[in-house]
Amino acid sequence: MRILTTPCLAGEFEQMWRTLSAGKPAQMSAAWLRSQHGRIADTHRYHFLVDDDGCEALAAAACMIIDRNQTDVSFRLDSQLLVNGVGEQSTSASRLGDSIGPTYVCAIGSAHLPGLVAKDHLPKGALSHLIAHLESEAVAIGAEAIAFFNFEESRWPGLEAAFAETDYFKAVFAGETLLPLQGVDGFSGYLERLPRQRRRTVRHEIRTFSEQGMELSSHAVEHLTTEAEDLIVAHQERYGWTNVRGRVRNRIERTEKFFPGMEFLFARDSARELVGIMGLVAEPGGGSTAAIYGSRRNGAFVYFNMFYYERIRRALVRGCHELRFGTQTYRAKVARGCEVRPLYTFFKVFGDCRGLTELVAHRNQVEIDSWQNSLETT
């Protein structure tokens, strides 16, 4: 086995990634990675583990260099660990935040999925070989840590053992919400799986949406207008994002370039004003990922009807067995039937690790407690 490295996905490297990611979530596709290239980090590297002849790709990792100056904190270890620290945990977190520099991160931008793809059956030691190479790469570029984000334990048998061999920390920074749909008989069957009070709430939200004259229509990405862009900007500003206009414009331009067939749902009220928009990337297996979203508050439950119920209807029609709803807002998602599963980040700090064991344990408990609170209040 040997490893090939490239600064961008193109030519034979893009084709190798396509082969390895076939059948996996859309956000692990070559098109998604290309759409994210340069958006979060300035430096990217893609590493391919190939057989001795170099004819077959066995696994690949999408990596980027993340430092403390990144405004997007999704993959910054210092920011992820600085959560509700108390006493010794707070001291350790502060020291880490002050000392940790560039981190070599294996991850995918704007996704809660691993930046690693692989064949189903790998030669013994293949993943360990790839991990060791990435560590060497991290040290060579002057990184002070290396991190592999967003692994679901059950989906990567044997991976944890590979990390355990070389003393990685195992952290939980988020949970993926998954809606199981296997065996569900249509939307009415989905409703029947919910507790009685939740069913009443969902039916009320759907009925209100209809009674207020809301209508959904489907459009291709090239039909996005200034009106749609304004709505997405206003939605993100409402949730505290900064430099929104530039970010939204960039996101739309990348979508148009890399996902020319992407579908957009528009929600309009009885006066034909645009009150909601959602861009859907089709998933293998019949599901979808909401890549762009915006809505205006108008008392018609636009968000719930578009982001949840319409996606669920479509998934059921297409025979989807499991629908992903992402991280955060756990209470709303659990209330609509989702399960929360931990996403593990494996990381190693090359310098001073004092207090990290306790800090990671504390951070993990904080995250899991937040899910439990959502379950208990639903």
Side-chain angles (χ1 to χ4, degrees), residues 14 19 32 92 126 132 226 289 292 348-349 369:
E14 181 178 359
T19 300
W32 188 276
S92 298
T226 302
T289 291
I292 297 177
K348 177 186 283 189
V349 176
D369 284 349

Side-chain angles (χ1 to χ4, degrees), residues 71-372:
T71 54
D72 187 322
V73 301
S74 304
F75 304 118
R76 277 177 47 186
L77 285 178
D78 57 337
S79 296
Q80 292 293 343
L81 288 165
L82 284 167
V83 175
N84 298 333
V86 295
E88 293 181 6
Q89 288 82 24
S90 181
T91 301
S92 298
S94 296
R95 179 174 52 75
L96 176 67
D98 291 338
S99 64
I100 197 167
T103 301
Y104 203 46
V105 169
C106 177
I108 297 174
S110 299
H112 288 91
L113 290 160
L116 184 67
V117 290
K119 293 185 64 177
D120 290 336
H121 303 287
L122 291 172
K124 185 177 181 180
L127 285 178
S128 295
H129 182 62
L130 179 58
I131 291 168
H133 171 82
L134 296 181
E135 278 191 42
S136 298
E137 182 86 2
V139 172
I141 62 176
E144 296 180 13
I146 184 170
F148 298 77
F149 276 78
N150 299 325
F151 286 89
E152 283 183 56
E153 196 168 37
S154 61
R155 297 178 190 264
W156 286 88
L159 184 71
E160 187 168 353
F163 285 119
E165 290 172 3
T166 46
D167 300 322
Y168 274 74
F169 290 99
K170 180 182 179 181
V172 182
F173 296 146
E176 174 66 272
T177 51
L178 297 160
L179 180 66
L181 294 174
Q182 190 163 13
V184 176
D185 185 13
F187 195 78
S188 60
Y190 155 72
L191 287 175
E192 288 304 312
R193 286 195 173 188
L194 298 177
R196 180 178 298 177
Q197 186 55 46
R198 288 308 314 166
R199 285 202 300 272
R200 290 174 180 168
T201 299
V202 171
R203 285 172 173 148
H204 168 70
E205 291 168 350
I206 294 172
R207 185 170 59 251
T208 301
F209 185 80
S210 175
E211 289 175 348
Q212 291 198 19
M214 300 293 125
E215 291 186 1
L216 292 178
S217 59
S218 176
H219 302 273
V221 62
E222 58 265 24
H223 291 282
L224 286 183
T225 62
T226 302
E227 180 188 25
E229 182 179 318
D230 291 344
L231 183 63
I232 299 168
V233 169
H235 178 92
Q236 294 195 3
E237 286 179 340
R238 195 163 71 234
Y239 288 94
W241 290 91
T242 58
N243 187 30
V244 172
R245 179 70 62 178
R247 291 173 62 256
V248 169
R249 175 94 307 264
N250 180 265
R251 188 72 171 269
I252 291 173
E253 289 172 355
R254 288 170 182 261
T255 299
E256 291 172 333
K257 180 178 180 180
F258 294 104
F259 296 94
M262 185 171 167
E263 180 186 20
F264 276 79
L265 289 180
F266 283 37
R268 295 187 180 276
D269 62 18
S270 57
R272 303 302 296 158
E273 286 191 37
L274 185 65
V275 295
I277 181 170
M278 180 171 61
L280 293 175
V281 178
E283 292 281 4
S288 62
T289 291
I292 297 177
Y293 182 81
S295 66
R296 176 165 60 84
R297 290 173 176 163
N298 67 346
F301 303 108
V302 174
Y303 171 73
F304 294 122
N305 277 274
M306 292 189 76
F307 186 78
Y308 291 100
Y309 310 140
E310 185 62 21
R311 285 176 64 198
I312 293 169
R313 287 191 189 95
R314 288 163 170 252
L316 288 168
V317 167
R318 295 166 183 169
C320 177
H321 290 168
E322 185 178 74
L323 195 55
R324 292 175 174 267
F325 281 95
T327 63
Q328 302 179 338
T329 59
Y330 298 114
R331 184 178 302 177
K333 293 167 183 175
V334 169
R336 286 160 180 81
C338 290
E339 301 172 356
V340 185
R341 299 181 192 171
L343 294 176
Y344 294 106
T345 292
F346 298 92
F347 74 92
K348 177 186 283 189
V349 176
F350 301 131
D352 184 3
C353 294
R354 286 174 301 159
L356 263 180
T357 299
E358 295 78 11
L359 177 60
V360 170
H362 173 75
R363 177 63 179 85
N364 291 352
Q365 194 60 54
V366 167
E367 183 67 26
I368 293 170
D369 284 349
S370 73
W371 311 342
Q372 191 61 41

